Amino acid sequence: AQSVTQLDSQVPVFEEAPVELRCNYSSSVSVYLFWYVQYPNQGLQLLLKYLSGSTLVKGINGFEAEFNKSQTSFHLRKPSVHISDTAEYFCAVSPRRGMDKFYFGSGTKLNVKP
Amino acid sequence: DTAVSQTPKYLVTQMGNDKSIKCEQNLGHDTMYWYKQDSKKFLKIMFSYNNKELIINETVPNRFSPKSPDKAHLNLHINSLELGDSAVYFCASESGATYEQYFGPGTRLTVT
């Protein structure tokens, strides 16, 4: 079975500061990894994904994440946040086999202050 | 062009009523999902269909019944609505090539 842990339910940060949102997972099989963002009253939008290859992946809006297999982590980072980055961020894993479900973390609310 | 659309966006109804939520995707994907997001933003998978066939059926009350008339549509019918059904329901479709899930805008269901 798979599970995803987002340890921080809320992360307050000042505008233009760097931020890291943590994601750890457990799985008995190889997985694909994703980060989604949910702006208020909207659906989820893909930020970035890791399927294979380079462990550092870059996504939209200046976000990046690094897959660390030994630590089973996929932390999301941005060097300088904007007010518009205020949103809920979800980490998700999907087993590398067909027709299995996504496992979502509980979400981290990023609150960017002026 | 909306990739994944849901109707209605808001749904307010009384306990005991029956309601449906519709979902359509124009991405040509074979796999579609229903999720429930509670007030704490936790996302729970409910159902998954692949090419009109039910492949995932999580522990969901049997008052919830999905129906897929074709692979572009996945509807959710809820009988005898209860207060605890109040939530935001998201439809999603999955790319078999990139493994991404594309989400609809959500349907906010309020049961009074």
Side-chain angles (χ1 to χ4, degrees):
Chain A
Q2 287 73 35
S3 67
V4 180
T5 302
Q6 292 181 245
L7 288 169
D8 306 304
S9 60
Q10 294 191 58
V11 173
V13 63
F14 286 105
E15 195 173 18
E16 297 184 8
V19 71
E20 179 179 81
L21 305 183
R22 296 182 292 169
C23 173
N24 288 87
Y25 69 93
S26 67
S27 176
S28 55
V29 300
S30 296
V31 295
Y32 300 123
L33 296 150
F34 305 82
W35 274 100
Y36 282 82
V37 60
Q38 184 179 26
Y39 299 106
N41 299 314
Q42 294 187 27
L44 279 73
Q45 177 184 355
L46 181 72
L47 269 180
L48 47 79
K49 63 181 184 283
Y50 172 79
L51 302 183
S52 65
S54 172
T55 57
L56 182 64
V57 292
K58 294 187 184 296
I60 62 172
N61 301 340
F63 283 93
E64 63 179 33
E66 186 153 21
F67 168 53
N68 188 319
K69 188 174 181 180
S70 62
Q71 297 186 6
T72 59
S73 67
F74 190 55
H75 300 333
L76 181 70
R77 293 190 284 262
K78 186 170 183 178
S80 175
V81 294
H82 303 289
I83 295 286
S84 59
D85 292 323
T86 295
E88 194 86 25
Y89 291 79
F90 292 92
C91 182
V93 300
S94 176
R96 290 190 181 205
R97 56 180 181 229
M99 292 192 282
D100 204 335
K101 60 186 181 182
F102 268 40
Y103 295 80
F104 280 92
S106 53
T108 297
K109 176 65 186 296
L110 176 64
N111 188 10
V112 182
K113 304 175 183 180
Chain B
D1 268 354
T2 303
V4 183
S5 59
Q6 293 179 231
T7 54
K9 190 169 174 62
Y10 300 97
L11 185 53
V12 180
T13 188
Q14 292 183 327
M15 281 195 306
N17 285 349
D18 303 338
K19 291 293 179 185
S20 292
I21 306 171
K22 295 186 176 182
C23 177
E24 177 180 1
Q25 54 99 358
N26 62 6
L27 298 167
H29 296 160
D30 289 338
T31 305
M32 297 181 71
Y33 298 81
W34 277 110
Y35 289 90
K36 178 181 179 181
Q37 187 176 47
D38 63 24
S39 58
K40 295 185 177 179
K41 301 292 186 182
F42 183 71
L43 272 166
K44 176 184 175 183
I45 187 170
M46 301 175 72
F47 302 103
S48 174
Y49 270 72
N50 181 268
N51 208 4
K52 301 193 296 176
E53 181 181 342
L54 180 67
I55 56 171
I56 294 175
N57 185 351
E58 292 293 292
T59 308
V60 176
N62 57 15
R63 299 181 294 104
F64 290 79
S65 53
K67 191 164 286 186
S68 181
D70 55 62
K71 74 174 192 179
H73 295 84
L74 180 61
N75 303 323
L76 183 66
H77 188 75
I78 315 169
N79 289 326
S80 303
L81 278 155
E82 300 177 357
L83 292 176
D85 298 332
S86 295
V88 181
Y89 291 84
F90 286 102
C91 175
S93 73
E94 182 173 304
S95 165
T98 64
Y99 306 100
E100 295 173 35
Q101 291 196 6
Y102 295 77
F103 283 78
T107 296
R108 183 174 294 276
L109 171 65
T110 303
V111 182
T112 62

